Amino acid sequence: MQKIGLNSFQLKFIALLFMTLDNVDILLNQEPFPYYHIFSRFVGALFAYLLVQGFFHTSDRTKYFIRLAAAGIIMWGGNKLVAYLTGNDAPIGHSMFLTLAAGFGAMWVFEWSRKQAETIQSKLVAFTAGAIICVMAMMYTEGGFYIIPVIAASYFLYKKRWLLCLILIAIGAVLAFTSLTYNSSGEIEWELFFAVNCDWAMVSVIPFILLYNGRTGPRNGFSKWMFYVYYPLHIWVFTVIGTFLQ
């Protein structure tokens, strides 16, 4: 019997559509409409959640990690090249592949600590190493400050979906609190809160998590490489076109 809900491929496709919306300002050189970023804040969190599902379902974690890391390095280099050729630095900073690769690596270390480490000392060393990877990724990768916590929560609460949702709400609350800024009169800058500092809206990922039916969807070259190709390509194309439209 087919499970009700959305499979991994369908969720990734939805995420890519909203990712495109989020980056359309690169193409138009302006925001398409006010507060539009808030509608796509779930994208990074959804890819983080699906990364954890892939970690447990993949038959080859080594190849999975290499794909993410290689894609991250290629996109980083491509961003630099496109920025240099166009004189437009819009692509700089877009490389969520490296964030996901770091999260995948941290999970791998945590999994070794939990399942294969034979002594308490080795478990502690491995767990500490995984935690260090998480902290470094939170500090230095795109969106890492909230994507990495989502990966960690999704990993440690694997198959505990409702509890995970509660943790995500807590993460969103922390992000909301730390996103508040005040003007010289001591009033909250609501414009910034909803238009710029809106990563707290990642809690909108919860309905998509609850809709996930545990299936991967079609298994073919298109479904496997869609994200790896489309993500950097649309950034580069938007940058080139946006440069000529300036």
Side-chain angles (χ1 to χ4, degrees):
M1 181 181 296
Q2 185 174 2
K3 291 185 177 180
I4 298 174
L6 298 173
N7 60 44
S8 177
F9 174 77
Q10 291 168 329
L11 289 172
K12 286 179 181 178
F13 192 83
I14 292 171
L16 287 178
L17 290 177
F18 279 87
M19 175 189 285
T20 304
L21 169 65
D22 191 57
N23 293 318
V24 76
D25 60 325
I26 300 175
L27 174 66
L28 302 178
N29 295 300
Q30 63 182 6
E31 296 185 352
F33 54 87
Y35 310 114
Y36 78 104
H37 281 303
I38 203 170
F39 298 104
S40 57
R41 291 302 85 189
F42 74 90
V43 170
L46 183 55
F47 277 121
Y49 175 75
L50 294 176
L51 177 77
V52 177
Q53 306 308 307
F55 176 82
F56 285 107
H57 293 161
T58 184
S59 59
D60 195 325
R61 288 174 180 169
T62 300
K63 289 184 178 180
Y64 200 150
F65 176 77
I66 290 174
R67 281 199 305 271
L68 286 170
I73 293 171
I74 291 171
M75 186 171 183
W76 179 85
N79 289 346
K80 294 285 188 180
L81 179 61
V82 171
Y84 172 76
L85 294 175
T86 62
N88 187 341
D89 63 357
I92 304 301
H94 288 274
S95 190
M96 189 168 55
F97 288 130
L98 294 177
T99 313
L100 297 177
F104 192 96
M107 285 192 292
W108 209 347
V109 174
F110 288 141
E111 191 75 356
W112 186 88
S113 172
R114 298 170 67 188
K115 301 291 180 63
Q116 294 178 266
E118 297 180 352
T119 65
I120 296 296
Q121 290 84 351
S122 60
K123 287 180 181 292
L124 288 175
V125 169
F127 189 87
T128 301
I132 291 174
I133 293 173
C134 287
V135 171
M136 296 296 288
M138 289 175 66
M139 294 172 61
Y140 297 112
T141 63
E142 182 197 4
F145 65 94
Y146 79 91
I147 291 177
I148 295 299
V150 173
I151 291 174
S154 301
Y155 169 75
F156 287 108
L157 297 175
Y158 182 62
K159 293 186 177 181
K160 298 177 181 179
R161 205 177 304 194
W162 286 102
L163 182 55
L164 171 62
C165 290
L166 291 177
I167 296 299
L168 294 181
I169 291 173
I171 293 173
V174 172
L175 289 172
F177 179 76
T178 57
S179 296
L180 291 173
T181 56
Y182 301 85
N183 60 25
S184 57
S185 301
E187 299 173 331
I188 296 175
E189 296 275 10
W190 291 113
E191 177 80 16
L192 292 176
F193 184 75
F194 288 105
V196 181
N197 304 325
C198 56
D199 288 312
W200 51 267
M202 50 75 67
V203 296
S204 58
V205 74
I206 290 176
F208 297 100
I209 290 176
L210 296 178
L211 282 171
Y212 177 55
N213 61 14
R215 301 292 179 85
T216 59
R219 293 177 177 271
N220 52 47
F222 177 75
S223 63
K224 182 177 182 179
W225 295 103
M226 174 184 67
F227 174 50
Y228 294 99
V229 174
Y230 181 80
Y231 174 34
L233 189 61
H234 92 282
I235 293 290
W236 299 337
V237 170
F238 279 12
T239 301
V240 172
I241 296 176
T243 301
F244 282 105
L245 292 178
Q246 285 181 347

